[in-house]
């Protein structure tokens, strides 16, 4: 019960902020032969469930924590790795993924960076919609493995996953940046806002943001630079798992 009522509903942020402030090293979750680490792979497969229900994107299968999984009910401290944010399909990511699937011209033939990728659903939606190049980024190396597993579930060749704090690095040009559910802490929101502004003015890259209307997003100064593209009513299971949030929207960034 601790997992489902603790870190998951509030999306506690101590580990993410710690990594953002100190940097995060590249982590190899592959063996020397290039295969996924078999022990970690087996652990994730044993403690998650493949599902495509209860979200805005039934076309996408994901390996997630669900009420049928042991750690949905276990005490959070018993999970042996960092908090598994990647094991929840957050509502901002659902909206972004739905938007890309419904509007493939947004990504077709383009290079896409999925910032804070989590389970990888939005990156997967971009690839399914015809993106020519996809890079997923998440500071949790376990998310990197989960994203690779989720690619294979959806019949996709796994795309690259960068498991380091991208806000402290120089990146080449992408045609599109997507990020969902990243504005849940004021300090992180400020850092993201500055990075996105600098990136936009350097490369003129389009930026799409997904968020269900968390206070840290709705009250942030970035809202003055956003144009809403679409709003979706969240499925009932997602509403129940996110403290009753009922909608999630996609925003276009225009600094």
């Amino acid at each position: 019960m601790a997992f489902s009522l603790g870190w998951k509903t509030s999306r506690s942020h101590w580990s993410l902020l710690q990594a953002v402030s100190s940097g995060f090293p590249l982590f190899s979750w592959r063996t020397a032969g290039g295969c996924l680490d078999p022990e970690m792979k087996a652990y994730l497969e044993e403690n998650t469930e493949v599902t495509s229900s209860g979200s805005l994107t039934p076309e996408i299968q994901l390996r997630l924590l669900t009420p049928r999984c042991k750690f949905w009910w276990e005490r959070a401290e018993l999970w042996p790795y960092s908090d598994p944010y990647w094991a929840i399909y957050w509502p901002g990511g659902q909206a972004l993924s739905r938007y890309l699937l419904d509007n493939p011209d947004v990504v077709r033939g383009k290079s896409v960076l999925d910032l804070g990728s989590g389970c990888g659903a939005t990156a997967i939606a971009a690839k399914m919609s015809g993106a020519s190049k996809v890079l997923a980024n998440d500071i949790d190396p376990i998310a990197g493995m989960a994203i690779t597993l989720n690619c294979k579930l959806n019949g996709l060749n796994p795309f690259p996953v960068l498991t380091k704090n991208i806000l402290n690095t120089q990146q080449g040009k992408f045609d599109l940046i997507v990020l969902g559910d990243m504005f849940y802490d004021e300090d992180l929101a400020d850092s993201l806002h500055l990075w996105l502004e600098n990136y936009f003015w350097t490369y003129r890259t389009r930026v799409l943001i997904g968020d269900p209307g968390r206070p840290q997003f709705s009250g942030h100064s970035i809202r003055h630079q956003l144009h809403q593209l679409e709003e979706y009513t969240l499925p009932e299971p997602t509403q129940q798992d996110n403290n009753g949030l009922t909608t999630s929207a996609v925003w276009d960034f225009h600094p």
Side-chain angles (χ1 to χ4, degrees), residues 66-130:
T66 74
R68 287 176 289 278
C69 299
K70 177 178 71 172
F71 279 102
W72 183 274
W73 307 104
E74 288 279 12
R75 299 194 311 276
E77 62 267 22
L78 296 179
W79 179 260
Y81 305 109
S82 56
D83 290 344
Y85 302 123
W86 53 265
I88 301 297
Y89 193 7
W90 301 95
Q94 289 191 33
L96 271 176
S97 302
R98 182 72 268 156
Y99 185 79
L100 297 185
L101 291 172
D102 289 345
N103 300 276
D105 288 346
V106 172
V107 294
R108 185 178 293 122
K110 297 179 180 178
S111 57
V112 180
L113 169 63
D114 182 14
L115 186 61
S117 191
C119 65
T122 302
I124 288 169
K127 195 66 177 176
M128 292 172 69
S129 296

Side-chain angles (χ1 to χ4, degrees), residues 2-14:
F3 252 150
S4 61
L5 296 182
W7 68 269
K8 184 176 69 62
T9 54
S10 62
R11 188 165 183 176
S12 60
H13 55 268
W14 68 268

Side-chain angles (χ1 to χ4, degrees), residues 113 135 162 164 166 169-174 195 199 203:
L113 169 63
L135 175 64
L162 180 65
K164 65 185 298 185
I166 207 169
T169 65
Q170 288 287 105
Q171 290 298 315
K173 182 182 185 301
F174 286 85
W195 188 87
Y199 196 97
Y203 297 112

Side-chain angles (χ1 to χ4, degrees), residues 70-233:
K70 177 178 71 172
F71 279 102
W72 183 274
W73 307 104
E74 288 279 12
R75 299 194 311 276
E77 62 267 22
L78 296 179
W79 179 260
Y81 305 109
S82 56
D83 290 344
Y85 302 123
W86 53 265
I88 301 297
Y89 193 7
W90 301 95
Q94 289 191 33
L96 271 176
S97 302
R98 182 72 268 156
Y99 185 79
L100 297 185
L101 291 172
D102 289 345
N103 300 276
D105 288 346
V106 172
V107 294
R108 185 178 293 122
K110 297 179 180 178
S111 57
V112 180
L113 169 63
D114 182 14
L115 186 61
S117 191
C119 65
T122 302
I124 288 169
K127 195 66 177 176
M128 292 172 69
S129 296
S132 60
K133 172 186 174 183
V134 174
L135 175 64
N137 168 243
D138 197 288
I139 62 170
D140 187 350
I142 311 302
M145 173 172 282
I147 290 168
T148 296
L149 293 175
N150 287 335
C151 282
K152 294 179 178 179
L153 282 176
N154 291 279
L156 300 176
N157 291 326
F159 38 73
V161 182
L162 180 65
T163 55
K164 65 185 298 185
N165 174 22
I166 207 169
L167 302 185
N168 292 337
T169 65
Q170 288 287 105
Q171 290 298 315
K173 182 182 185 301
F174 286 85
D175 299 316
L176 176 68
I177 293 176
V178 291
L179 61 155
D181 304 287
M182 292 291 284
F183 286 80
Y184 58 87
D185 173 86
E186 290 181 5
D187 291 337
L188 178 58
D190 290 343
S191 297
L192 282 168
H193 188 192
L194 179 61
W195 188 87
L196 291 171
E197 277 192 330
N198 290 337
Y199 196 97
F200 177 89
W201 290 117
T202 300
Y203 297 112
R204 300 289 176 164
T205 291
R206 189 179 190 188
V207 177
L208 299 182
I209 298 173
D211 194 272
R214 295 185 181 90
Q216 299 90 336
F217 176 74
S218 300
H220 197 273
S221 59
I222 196 173
R223 279 293 300 272
H224 300 297
Q225 300 171 314
L226 298 176
H227 169 69
Q228 184 172 306
L229 297 175
E230 193 65 75
E231 185 175 53
Y232 302 93
T233 299

